[in-house]
């Protein structure tokens, strides 16, 4: 980071204590996810609603859903227990922006009660444009968008997303996928224009979007996205995911490395992601979510 470049220094300040955006920070700073967002406005074939959103989390692990008030209590309690806590994220179990009231109530209260914590959200991108003013108002300066394809025909997207909920109805197949892509690109542009740091997640689905991921990386670079995280599909019938049931195997280490190499030509890649769960607590890779059950914090005033 060039100390004479104010823009670069502003970014440095934002990522310094953020364990997901800065590899250097991930051993020293902790994050907490609060699971306040149960609903979703799209269907991904790799998702099972019984589990957490794959925007940010490892499928197969359920998280207790919290009210906004209990989420704030939990953050304050955990902040007392884990001194390195620096970031609060909303990453599911559904989509943060498909639950705008609970998401922004939580952020509003956190801004008042814990102004030193950085706020972060994760979304499929469909509703960013609708809530861009709120995102800015509550100083949410890190947003993760899951974007799995930039295929403008909607063909690849239709294999990943059976439907998208738009204008009060389900839009199926390629038409739905095209709406999602358009809104993702519009949303990412708005975020970066307002100086909000964007990380993109892409789920690598072998045989479906592997060839398109380098195009995703190119597009992200064009739009000044800060970091790209390629997450291998974790496919298993016991999760009930469509890909798992249909026998699309998990991405192998080799496939993941090949995709990362292809995307790394254009984008700075996140290499320390551990596909953490929607109620993750602690340092990345050292999950303490199970220690903080509601009995530990709901009676606090
Ligand atoms: Fe599931 Fe997340 Fe996809 Fe919604 S955006 S369908 S919660 S994986
Ligand atoms: Fe990190 Fe994502 Fe959680 Fe934010 S929402 S703290 S980027 S894992």
């Amino acid at each position: 980071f060039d100390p004479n470049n104010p823009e670069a220094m502003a970014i440095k300040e934002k990522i310094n204590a953020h364990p997901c955006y800065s590899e250097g920070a991930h051993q020293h700073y902790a994050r907490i996810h609060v699971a306040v967002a149960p609903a979703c406005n799209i269907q991904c074939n790799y998702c099972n609603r019984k589990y957490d959103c794959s925007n940010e989390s490892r499928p197969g692990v359920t998280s207790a859903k919290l009210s906004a008030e209990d989420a704030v209590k939990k953050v304050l309690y955990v902040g007392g227990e884990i001194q390195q806590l620096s970031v609060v994220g909303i990453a599911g179990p559904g989509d943060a922006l498909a639950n705008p009231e609970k998401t922004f109530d939580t952020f509003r209260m956190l801004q008042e009660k814990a102004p030193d914590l950085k706020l972060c959200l994760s979304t499929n991108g469909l509703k960013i444009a609708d809530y861009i003013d709120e995102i800015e108002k509550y100083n949410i300066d890190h947003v993760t968008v899951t974007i799995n394809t930039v295929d403008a025909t909607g063909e690849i997207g239709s294999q990943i997303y059976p439907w998208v909920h738009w204008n009060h109805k389900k839009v199926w197949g390629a038409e739905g996928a095209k709406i999602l892509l358009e809104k993702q690109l519009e949303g990412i542009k708005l975020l970066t224009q307002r100086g909000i740091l964007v990380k993109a997640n892409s789920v690598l689905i072998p045989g479906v979007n592997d060839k398109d991921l380098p195009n995703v990386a190119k597009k992200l670079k064009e739009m000044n996205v800060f970091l790209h995280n390629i997450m291998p599909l974790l496919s298993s019938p016991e999760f009930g995911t469509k890909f798992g049931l249909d026998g699309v195997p998990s991405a192998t280490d080799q496939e993941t490395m090949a995709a990362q190499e292809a995307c790394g030509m254009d984008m700075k890649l996140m290499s320390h992601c551990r596909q953490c769960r929607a109620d993750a607590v602690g340092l990345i890779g050292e999950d303490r979510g199970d220690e903080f059950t509601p009995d530990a914090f709901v009676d606090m005033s």
Side-chain angles (χ1 to χ4, degrees):
F1 290 97
D2 175 0
N4 299 316
N5 177 343
E7 242 175 64
M9 292 315 282
I11 292 179
K12 183 169 185 239
E13 203 282 315
K14 278 187 186 163
I15 65 167
N16 254 351
H18 197 305
C20 308
Y21 282 71
S22 157
E23 198 161 356
H26 93 273
Q27 288 153 343
H28 307 289
Y29 292 96
R31 49 76 179 103
I32 177 171
H33 282 185
V34 285
V36 297
C40 193
N41 43 22
I42 68 172
Q43 177 68 63
C44 301
N45 273 333
Y46 49 72
C47 177
N48 180 332
R49 290 298 165 68
K50 280 192 254 157
Y51 303 116
D52 293 338
C53 174
S54 301
N55 277 331
E56 277 294 331
S57 58
R58 175 161 43 95
V61 185
T62 43
S63 52
K65 286 164 212 152
L66 294 174
S67 67
E69 289 74 18
D70 284 347
V72 173
K73 285 179 187 167
K74 181 174 183 178
V75 172
L76 298 178
Y77 179 81
V78 171
E81 299 286 307
I82 301 180
Q83 307 303 325
Q84 313 108 303
L85 187 71
S86 65
V87 180
V88 185
I90 297 182
D95 187 85
L97 298 179
N99 302 264
E101 275 183 28
K102 282 180 75 186
T103 290
F104 292 113
D105 271 359
T106 307
F107 284 139
R108 179 181 45 73
M109 288 187 269
L110 283 173
Q111 217 191 20
E112 286 162 17
K113 297 191 172 169
D116 292 343
L117 291 175
K118 288 179 189 299
L119 305 180
C120 191
L121 69 79
S122 156
T123 175
N124 57 45
L126 186 67
K127 293 297 231 176
I128 295 169
D130 295 39
Y131 296 109
I132 186 71
D133 291 335
E134 281 82 351
I135 292 172
E136 194 172 29
K137 178 169 154 197
Y138 295 118
N139 285 328
I140 299 158
D141 53 14
H142 300 79
V143 172
T144 300
V145 184
T146 299
I147 176 164
N148 295 319
T149 171
V150 289
D151 165 32
T153 68
E155 186 47 45
I156 296 176
S158 70
Q159 296 173 57
I160 304 173
Y161 312 107
W163 55 260
V164 162
H165 198 260
W166 188 247
N167 282 342
H168 311 291
K169 57 176 199 285
K170 281 183 184 170
V171 184
W172 295 83
E175 281 318 301
K178 283 201 270 189
I179 293 171
L180 179 63
L181 175 61
E182 191 189 308
K183 299 308 290 180
Q184 286 171 328
L185 298 179
E186 180 191 356
I188 292 172
K189 231 181 252 170
L190 286 168
L191 290 166
T192 54
Q193 276 167 1
R194 297 197 189 197
I196 295 163
L197 273 194
V198 179
K199 169 162 85 64
N201 282 346
S202 299
V203 181
L204 167 64
I205 308 161
V208 175
N209 68 346
D210 45 347
K211 304 273 181 311
D212 195 38
L213 287 185
N215 303 327
V216 174
K218 274 197 186 76
K219 192 76 199 167
L220 297 176
K221 185 178 184 195
E222 244 173 68
M223 292 190 300
N224 294 321
V225 169
F226 183 71
L227 199 58
H228 193 191
N229 181 21
I230 314 283
M231 307 161 77
L233 172 72
L234 301 177
S235 172
S236 170
E238 72 257 23
F239 298 152
T241 62
K242 180 164 183 300
F243 284 126
L245 290 173
D246 285 1
V248 174
S250 298
T252 62
D253 288 352
Q254 239 169 358
E255 285 166 333
T256 307
M257 268 155 57
Q260 287 172 337
E261 208 169 295
C263 295
M265 311 270 276
D266 286 295
M267 279 300 294
K268 181 170 154 48
L269 295 184
M270 178 176 181
S271 56
H272 59 289
C273 173
R274 296 290 176 273
Q275 294 185 249
C276 49
R277 45 195 263 191
D279 60 355
V281 178
L283 301 175
I284 291 185
E286 177 229 55
D287 200 344
R288 299 177 56 184
D290 290 335
E291 285 174 41
F292 301 100
T293 54
D295 352 330
F297 57 85
V298 284
D299 290 326
M300 285 178 49
S301 52

